[in-house]
Amino acid sequence: MELKRVVVTGLGALTPIGNNLEEYWQGLLNGVSGACPISHFDVSLFKTRFACEVKGFNLSDRMDVNIKELRKLDLFTQYALATAQEAIEDSHLDLSKEDLVRAGVIWGTGIGGFTSYGEEIVNYANSPEPRFNPFFIPKIIGDIAAGHISMHFGLLGPNYVTTSACASSANAICDAFNMIRLGKVDWIITGGSEAPVNFSGIGGFNAMHALSTRNDDPSTASRPFDKNRDGFVIGEGSGALILESLDHALARGAKIYAEISGCGLSADAYHLTAPHPEGNGARLAMLHALEEANLSIEDVDHINTHGTSTPIGDLAEVKAITSLFGEHAKNININSIKSMIGHLLGAAAAVESIATILTIVHDIVPPTINHFEDDERIDPNLNFTFNKAQQRKVDVAISNAFGFGGHNASLLFKKYKA
């Protein structure tokens, strides 16, 4: 059986530095930090009082959704619908002409309706009667974002959500890639969304000592690969991609951003929350992506790292890169856009894949901002694209995503060539 080629034909982004694709990309190139004091709830008693929030978002400004319907949707689902809408519009798919049995949704989220869950439990605890909102369950379950996208656009093909912590949307994209190249569908809306900036999210990650506590200077708190990094900055938002078989895209005259040709998956099998200290699982994921794409290590021009700004995680990923790529690692532009958008958990891979794709399209690598002091444990000859975007030809790029539980995923994108 000959596998189909898979291309990216539509993108949608809702991030802490831009509420649409163009705003997001310009924010990345300009090195904008999305970190700010938390506005969603009272944080006075928390160790961390800042995050990378989405700003000025209202779903009813983008879609025909009334207030009654909005009350049935957790924020992570609202984010998902907004970016799916933008991606469909960007792809110029005419749904009236499509066989919607051959179109689906594969989405990713790490936590799902976290905000609604917390609010409902608090309401229950403070209520004289044990009452729950009848939409409580449909608001919090992780699969519901894919369900709403499917219902909104009338897509009748595969419809489900992947959950693998912070690798969730990478797994979703990988599944969509495989579904299309096997010929089961013509196109899929894929990506991920997350809305974890709430008291449970901040309190829970604070209890793990995972978050930065630089409350005096939030905009520089996310410092991937910097010597004084002290934890990640939690973020929220969504990213949507239209993956399509090349045959289908060409037949309808679609614009093509890039081709996805490799997906590598692995497990650390090491620790509940910490990566393998030598980056063994991360190395395997990148290697598998290269092998599936039938490319060599010398072909890679850029790596968008998981790069969360944690002391252990960043170092392990660097070890994985140097172990796999050897001397060629010095020729690769490495970056972490989490320095700007924070860590979007299950949505991170989708939003970062979009950045990776646009890097290939425009031949410019967004910076890793907030670098102040080198970490003596990291090879100074590696190019982390610190503090300023760098122009260079990018034909092949890898985007990494790793999650609690030892889940590793690497997605390989390349310039589309006929």
Side-chain angles (χ1 to χ4, degrees):
M1 176 183 176
E2 184 177 353
L3 297 175
K4 293 180 177 292
R5 292 172 67 183
V6 182
V7 294
V8 183
T9 58
L11 300 171
L14 176 64
T15 77
I17 61 171
N19 285 13
N20 58 50
L21 186 65
E22 181 59 26
E23 288 179 2
Y24 170 50
W25 179 239
Q26 291 306 315
L28 290 176
L29 295 184
N30 293 325
V32 175
S33 171
C36 58
I38 291 172
S39 64
H40 291 349
F41 66 102
D42 180 8
V43 293
S44 57
L45 299 179
F46 289 79
K47 295 177 183 176
T48 296
R49 298 187 289 277
F50 61 92
C52 287
E53 293 181 340
V54 168
K55 305 162 185 72
F57 171 76
N58 190 329
L59 182 61
S60 59
D61 293 338
R62 300 175 177 231
M63 304 173 69
D64 185 16
V65 182
N66 60 40
I67 294 177
K68 185 177 179 181
E69 291 300 312
L70 276 176
R71 289 173 180 163
K72 301 175 184 178
L73 305 175
D74 185 85
L75 202 52
F76 96 103
T77 300
Q78 295 184 40
Y79 290 168
L81 282 166
T83 53
Q85 177 79 34
E86 184 181 17
I88 287 283
E89 292 172 354
D90 185 49
S91 72
H92 298 291
L93 280 160
D94 185 345
L95 300 186
S96 68
K97 297 179 180 178
E98 291 294 320
D99 179 0
L100 299 183
V101 173
R102 293 190 56 79
V105 186
I106 303 179
W107 204 249
T109 185
I111 303 177
F114 209 23
T115 299
S116 296
Y117 186 88
E119 289 174 350
E120 198 69 22
I121 295 302
V122 169
N123 290 341
Y124 169 75
N126 294 329
S127 173
E129 297 181 39
R131 291 182 178 177
F132 279 84
N133 187 308
F135 294 102
F136 172 51
I137 298 300
K139 285 176 74 173
I140 70 168
I141 51 179
D143 72 294
I144 210 67
H148 276 292
I149 294 170
S150 171
M151 288 183 283
H152 184 81
F153 295 105
L155 308 183
L156 302 172
N159 177 245
Y160 62 91
V161 158
T162 61
T163 296
S164 49
C166 302
S168 295
S169 52
N171 281 108
I173 293 168
C174 183
D175 279 11
F177 165 60
N178 284 325
M179 196 76 71
I180 294 167
R181 68 179 185 153
L182 288 171
K184 294 182 179 296
V185 289
D186 295 324
W187 58 272
I188 286 180
I189 301 178
T190 187
S193 58
E194 206 81 271
V197 184
N198 50 56
F199 64 87
S200 300
I202 300 300
F205 282 113
N206 266 162
M208 295 175 64
H209 304 288
L211 298 181
S212 170
T213 56
R214 295 183 189 277
N215 295 302
D216 58 332
D217 193 9
S219 65
T220 70
S222 184
R223 304 182 179 192
F225 312 112
D226 186 86
K227 180 178 181 177
N228 297 307
R229 60 191 182 277
D230 71 327
F232 71 83
V233 177
I234 201 167
E236 61 177 357
S238 180
L241 301 83
I242 305 296
L243 297 193
E244 189 170 351
S245 73
L246 177 59
D247 293 344
H248 188 270
L250 293 176
R252 69 179 187 87
K255 75 173 182 296
I256 295 173
Y257 281 105
E259 182 172 359
I260 175 170
S261 56
C263 174
L265 305 176
S266 73
D268 280 337
Y270 174 74
H271 188 272
L272 184 64
T273 57
H276 190 284
E278 299 302 315
N280 291 354
R283 180 186 184 279
L284 274 176
M286 290 186 285
L287 176 61
H288 292 334
L290 281 167
E291 289 174 341
E292 187 164 70
N294 197 28
L295 294 173
S296 69
I297 59 173
E298 289 80 12
D299 293 317
V300 177
D301 304 303
H302 166 53
I303 299 175
N304 185 315
T305 65
H306 186 59
T308 57
S309 184
T310 58
I312 297 173
D314 288 7
L315 189 59
E317 189 169 8
V318 170
K319 288 182 177 180
I321 291 169
T322 55
S323 171
L324 177 60
F325 291 95
E327 282 297 305
H328 180 65
K330 299 173 184 176
N331 302 320
I332 298 172
N333 265 84
I334 301 165
N335 74 348
S336 171
I337 63 170
K338 287 185 178 72
S339 58
M340 294 175 273
I341 64 172
H343 190 359
L344 276 63
L345 307 184
V351 173
E352 291 170 24
S353 289
I354 291 170
T356 306
I357 290 162
L358 293 177
T359 294
I360 291 171
V361 171
H362 298 290
D363 288 318
I364 185 168
V365 182
T368 305
I369 68 168
N370 299 331
H371 180 71
F372 302 101
E373 188 173 353
D374 289 344
D375 185 335
E376 60 275 4
R377 297 169 296 175
I378 295 176
D379 186 346
N381 295 308
L382 297 177
N383 183 0
F384 288 96
T385 323
F386 282 136
N387 297 325
K388 186 177 180 181
Q390 293 180 16
Q391 197 88 38
R392 69 161 290 170
K393 195 168 189 329
V394 180
D395 289 324
V396 176
I398 290 174
S399 183
N400 286 335
F402 314 132
F404 285 172
H407 313 296
N408 305 304
S410 295
L411 302 171
L412 189 146
F413 300 94
K414 65 182 184 181
K415 266 191 171 64
Y416 166 67
K417 296 178 182 178

